[in-house]
Amino acid sequence: MDENNKTYQELIEEIAQLKRKLKDIELSVAIHEKRENALSHDLERMEILINICPDFFYMKDLAFRYQLINAANLRYFNLNEDEVLGKTDIDLMPVEAATRCQETDRQAIDEKRLVVSTEKVGDKYYETYKFPVFDKERIIGVAGIVRDITDHMLSEIALRESEEKFYKLFQNHSAVKLIIDPDTGSIIDANDAAANFYGWSIEDLKKMHIYQINQLPKEKVETCMKAAERGLKKSFEFKHLKADGSVCDVEVFSNKIEFELKSVLFSIIHDITPRKQAEEAILKEKEKLKTLSEKAPFAMVLIGNGDQIIYGNNKFTEIFGFEPGEIKDGKTWLRKMFPEKEYRRTVVSAWIDDFKDARPGERKTRIFNVTCKDGTQKVISFASVVIDAGEYLVICEDITETKRIEDQLFKAQKMESIGTLAGGIAHDFNNLLMGIQGYVSLMLSEIDPSHPYYARLTAIDEQIKSGASLTAQLLGFARAGRYDVKPTNINDIIQKISLLFAKTRKEIVINRKYAKKLPSVEVDRGQMEQVFMNLLINAWQAMPGGGEIYLETDSVMIDEKMAFPFNIKQGKYIKISITDTGTGMDEKTKSRIFEPFFTTKEMDRGTGLGLSTVYGIIEGHKGFINVYSEPGHGTTFTIYLPASDREIEEDKRPIEVIKKGEGTILLVDDEKAVLNVAEAMLESLGYKVYAAENGQMAIDIFKERHKEIDIVIMDMIMPGMSGAETFDRLQDIKRDVKVVLSSGYSLNGEANKIMGKGCSGFLQKPFGLETLASKIKEILV
């Protein structure tokens, strides 16, 4: 039983082994079938590819019988596949052609290599590639690919003909030409023009390398030739050597061409020496222009197409603070330099109007306020010139200082005009006051103080003096009011007035800093007292709650630049500063403070003549005054007066009293009212009077009675013969004639000229009996 079981077990294992072998066989068969299917599919694809190929394809056995042929080849034979397979070329084509084909077939088999040949059949050209066919290591036949190259061959033929034509042109054309081997640098050929240009014969040139002519290092020349060969660059500038040793600038145009079945560089050479010389001259001029631009006292900006800033010189940075790179276009420039939007719109609108119809070379000038990089404000004159369409040159000049000077000059001219008007009004008003004061003075001298009208007349006299004080301020503003000029220590006047002021203004603290050993100044002391009192009062009024005033003096030098806008001479000046800690002023108020009758106070608190009088008096003394102020930061008035070398004189002012006298006086005045009252006043003082209404009448009287006339009192401003001419004529008659000028104007200008000629004294209208009597006694003594 056990043996039977074992035998059965072995049988089962054998069956299992048979099953596994069967599966392996089935798997092997499936793989083989799959490979056969794949091979069949590959053969089908290869057959499709061979048949769609436009070139001829065939395969022959060792007897040169066709075993395979594609559709293109069948079309050439005009046969079907059955009519070709198994046959040789002898059966299919002329014997001569068939023999040539079999010869090259045999060559490929014998030499076991690819054989390439070109043949012409009729009017067609064919290129044939033949190679042996192997079955493992055994040659079993030959295969071939035949390509129709007729178009290519015709092109080559045309190219050769073209080259021949090219060579003829190459030789005969007047341009300098070289043919160069890019690999070696050898000169393959040169034309007659090249021989003439370089000075070597064509044969000599053909023995040379381009490196012997080109003055660049060999490596750089090779780099240029490679670039030309690849078409990366066609134009080059070199320096070429000639046979005579000279070197010239050339421009070389190089192209790769096929020449004699070889790629070469065809180069045309132009002599650009004159052009380079011209360019160098232009470059030098540009350098000069650049130097001029960089040294120019104004900024220069070149704006190109697209609103781009192409160039800005050093002055641009100096004026505006911006480097040219920080402002790349016009929009950025406008935005940074004109940050206020509305003002920027005004600027843009103005420039658009300027350039709307502007022609090249036409210049347009505008002045704008500019904000610089550091925030400072400057006044800039922009002169814009159209260079070309869309290109502009903008010249920017900083005229901030010039504008300031112009404003000062304009202000000075305006004040001059107002002063002339004020002086004329004061003159006429003084003549009116003269008539009133004269008669009041006479009446007061003739009645007893106990008379009921005496007090009223005295009041009238005081009002006349107030009126005269007002006209004196007007004359001071008109710079027509220096009466008694003497060398003075200005510290003494400031000290005297500041002490007097301090007694009545206890809430004000005065700080003094006087320079020691100051030079003297030639001033009318009374007027200077008025100047400093007016300025102290002005400072006090700016500090309603009290404050401090700083008084300082010093000696300074004024140069030509500082002197120019004030129309004064350069030299040594005495500087006086009055600073308060008050409310300060804005620019609008500051620009008008020296105008007569301008005031920021209530109507009943001032006449508006205080500062205008200060201005006029200082100008009348050949000095000038500056003011600096900011709202909430107080004010500083700075006065500059010319220093003098004269010794300081003591201040001695006489007390005026009525002193009667005797003698004869010639009185000259064109104003009838003044003439009448002055005549009455002189007669009341005991003098004999001859009255004359004009200069000619005075001359006539003086000619006749000059021996008895002791003094001439003469108006300065008269119609017809002026006071100056009248004075000259009086001196012609009597050299030592004593003349007293009398005028509604003060001692200045024309009056000073007359005084300088030997005039004895001056009477400022209006004057009373005391002043008149005192002046006559002073002259007659």
Side-chain angles (χ1 to χ4, degrees), residues 117-245:
S117 62
T118 301
E119 296 179 7
K120 184 180 181 185
V121 180
D123 59 353
K124 293 281 189 177
Y125 291 89
Y126 296 96
E127 190 171 58
T128 304
Y129 300 84
K130 294 182 179 182
F131 49 90
V133 178
F134 290 87
D135 180 9
K136 295 184 179 177
E137 294 182 359
R138 185 170 62 88
I139 295 175
I140 61 172
V142 64
I145 298 172
V146 182
R147 179 170 295 163
D148 184 349
I149 61 168
T150 305
D151 291 341
H152 174 70
M153 290 300 292
L154 292 175
S155 295
E156 279 198 356
I157 292 166
L159 179 61
R160 287 193 190 97
E161 291 174 351
S162 175
E163 285 180 350
E164 289 175 4
K165 290 179 182 177
F166 158 76
Y167 197 68
K168 288 178 181 178
L169 289 171
F170 172 77
Q171 283 298 343
N172 297 328
H173 198 272
S174 59
V176 177
K177 302 186 191 76
L178 296 176
I179 296 175
I180 302 166
D181 185 339
D183 296 327
T184 64
S186 299
I187 298 173
I188 298 172
D189 208 345
N191 67 350
D192 291 335
N196 292 332
F197 177 69
Y198 289 109
W200 287 290
S201 68
I202 292 175
E203 291 306 316
D204 288 338
L205 285 168
K206 288 168 74 172
K207 295 174 185 176
M208 297 171 68
H209 289 76
I210 193 64
Y211 312 121
Q212 295 171 264
I213 293 175
N214 200 312
Q215 297 299 286
L216 279 178
K218 182 180 178 181
E219 298 78 15
K220 291 190 177 180
V221 177
E222 287 175 343
T223 301
C224 293
M225 287 196 296
K226 286 177 182 177
E229 191 178 9
R230 294 172 186 170
L232 301 176
K233 190 175 179 183
K234 294 183 178 180
S235 173
F236 306 87
E237 288 188 6
F238 299 122
K239 288 186 179 295
H240 276 190
L241 177 69
K242 291 185 177 183
D244 62 4

Side-chain angles (χ1 to χ4, degrees), residues 295-333:
K295 301 293 183 183
F298 42 75
M300 298 176 71
V301 183
L302 184 61
I303 302 175
N305 288 318
D307 211 23
Q308 297 298 306
I309 292 182
I310 300 171
Y311 170 77
N313 66 352
N314 293 334
K315 198 68 177 180
F316 177 88
T317 303
E318 183 182 327
I319 291 175
F320 300 109
F322 296 101
E323 295 290 340
E326 294 181 72
I327 301 179
K328 296 181 179 179
D329 54 56
K331 288 182 180 177
T332 307
W333 191 11

Side-chain angles (χ1 to χ4, degrees), residues 421-470:
L421 176 63
I425 293 171
H427 170 266
D428 293 345
F429 196 57
N430 275 340
N431 279 334
L432 290 173
L433 290 176
M434 179 66 220
I436 300 169
Q437 187 174 28
Y439 285 119
V440 168
S441 184
L442 283 170
M443 292 174 70
L444 284 172
S445 68
E446 293 172 357
I447 64 174
D448 190 271
S450 60
H451 193 283
Y453 291 152
Y454 189 88
R456 294 177 184 177
L457 289 170
T458 303
I460 293 171
D461 191 53
E462 289 300 319
Q463 290 300 311
I464 292 168
K465 289 177 180 177
S466 296
S469 175
L470 186 62

Side-chain angles (χ1 to χ4, degrees), residues 387-406:
I387 303 298
D388 205 346
E391 195 171 88
Y392 309 92
L393 175 65
V394 183
I395 297 171
C396 317
E397 186 177 1
D398 183 358
I399 60 168
T400 308
E401 184 64 20
T402 303
K403 192 68 177 171
R404 184 187 69 80
I405 292 172
E406 283 180 356

